Amino acid sequence: MAFLMQQMLGDKLKNMMGGGGEDTGASGADGKETAESKGMSREEFEEYQRQLVEEKIERDKEFATKKAERANLRGLLRDKYRLPQSAQDDAMVQMAGDDIDIPEELAKMVDEDEEQEETNDSFMGKLQNMDVDFDTIKTKAQTTMTEVKQAAEDKCVLM
């Protein structure tokens, strides 16, 4: 019965008395964590806070680097496919400075694509892909030339 009464009237009584239902033991007067709320000494708590700040700075730095790497990658892809550049990506790359790296697998893929394009674009690359027998082409060309000469001799009186 007491449980039922507390459930029904407990919140209303707390609000009337200014309790508000907050746990004041876990935080200080301004709502921030304190050394006592964490169960640490003052020095331990300061070291803990310093570590939190350092970890946050490191995470933010890594995030900015990853973001710049992605922007750099987008720029490289835009160059490759001749798309217009993005000022936002350029700014992101400049903010990161020299910390930008392209993942190794991606660099290998880009290099392989460039090599493949170079071989496909060159004349020798096209000839290699054709699988043509040059001896047969040479004999065909010679027989065609002799046939043209004979036809010209037959039709032309001066030759």
Side-chain angles (χ1 to χ4, degrees):
M1 181 80 165
F3 175 74
L4 184 61
M5 291 297 281
Q6 184 175 354
Q7 288 294 328
M8 291 173 58
L9 301 175
D11 291 335
K12 293 178 183 171
L13 285 174
K14 282 183 185 177
N15 288 340
M16 272 180 33
M17 299 182 92
E22 293 179 8
D23 186 15
T24 56
S27 60
D30 57 355
K32 294 185 178 180
E33 292 180 340
T34 61
E36 294 82 23
S37 69
K38 289 288 189 176
M40 301 178 191
S41 68
R42 184 177 183 91
E43 294 83 22
E44 289 174 339
F45 185 71
E46 288 174 0
E47 181 66 27
Y48 171 73
Q49 291 294 333
R50 237 188 330 270
Q51 287 176 350
L52 288 177
V53 170
E54 289 173 2
E55 289 173 1
K56 183 182 183 316
I57 291 171
E58 186 66 28
R59 280 194 314 269
D60 290 345
K61 184 179 176 184
E62 288 177 12
F63 177 73
T65 302
K66 291 288 184 184
K67 207 170 177 183
E69 286 175 357
R70 289 189 292 266
N72 188 28
L73 175 63
R74 285 192 298 271
L76 292 173
L77 290 173
R78 283 190 178 102
D79 287 343
K80 179 179 179 180
Y81 295 111
R82 296 177 186 93
L83 298 173
Q85 293 294 325
S86 169
Q88 184 180 7
D89 287 346
D90 293 339
M92 187 68 62
V93 169
Q94 287 177 356
M95 282 178 22
D98 296 333
D99 294 340
I100 300 173
D101 293 328
I102 298 175
E104 291 179 22
E105 297 105 20
L106 184 63
K108 288 178 185 176
M109 287 173 44
V110 170
D111 290 340
E112 290 172 1
D113 286 346
E114 287 177 358
E115 290 173 7
Q116 186 178 12
E117 285 179 9
E118 287 174 4
T119 56
N120 288 342
D121 290 342
S122 69
F123 179 71
M124 291 303 291
K126 290 179 181 178
L127 286 178
Q128 288 174 352
N129 290 337
M130 289 174 51
D131 294 330
V132 178
D133 187 17
F134 289 110
D135 293 331
T136 56
I137 292 175
K138 183 179 177 183
T139 54
K140 281 186 180 182
Q142 287 175 345
T143 54
T144 305
M145 286 301 292
T146 37
E147 288 174 4
V148 169
K149 282 182 184 178
Q150 288 175 355
E153 287 175 359
D154 292 341
K155 293 184 178 181
C156 184
V157 180
L158 296 176
M159 290 190 101

